[in-house]
Amino acid sequence: MDPNANLKEQLDLVEEINDIRNHCFDDGTYNDAQAEELQQIAVRLAELIEALDAWIKMGGFLPKLWIKKVDT
C-alpha cells in the first residue's frame, strides 16, 4: 500500500464531502443523489482509514504529509 496515495485520496474525499455539504438544502438535508454519493464516499473513506491504520500498525511508514520536517 502507498500511504501517500491513501492519504491523498482521503483528503480528496473530505473535499467532496465538504462540497456536497456546501450545496445541501437550506434545512441541511440532501437530495437523493447527494445522499447516495455521501454514502459511497463514507464507505470508501472507511476502507482507506482501515487500510492506513493496518499499514501503520504493521510497521509501515507514515504519509509524507504527517512527517514534520526539522530544519537543521
Side-chain angles (χ1 to χ4, degrees):
M1 185 196 74
D2 179 351
N4 296 305
N6 179 302
L7 182 59
K8 181 185 180 320
E9 187 175 347
Q10 286 188 49
L11 295 172
D12 289 346
L13 292 172
V14 169
E15 193 173 308
E16 287 183 46
I17 291 169
N18 288 331
D19 185 55
I20 293 169
R21 289 178 58 214
N22 290 334
H23 293 94
C24 67
F25 295 119
D26 290 339
D27 65 359
T29 60
Y30 304 97
N31 65 36
D32 290 343
Q34 290 170 319
E36 175 67 26
E37 188 172 0
L38 285 170
Q39 183 179 20
Q40 291 172 2
I41 291 170
V43 169
R44 181 62 183 149
L45 192 53
E47 293 169 348
L48 289 166
I49 291 168
E50 286 180 330
L52 186 56
D53 180 64
W55 169 263
I56 292 168
K57 285 179 178 175
M58 292 180 5
F61 57 91
L62 296 175
K64 290 179 182 178
L65 288 176
W66 287 0
I67 299 171
K68 182 178 178 179
K69 293 182 182 179
V70 178
D71 293 331
T72 55

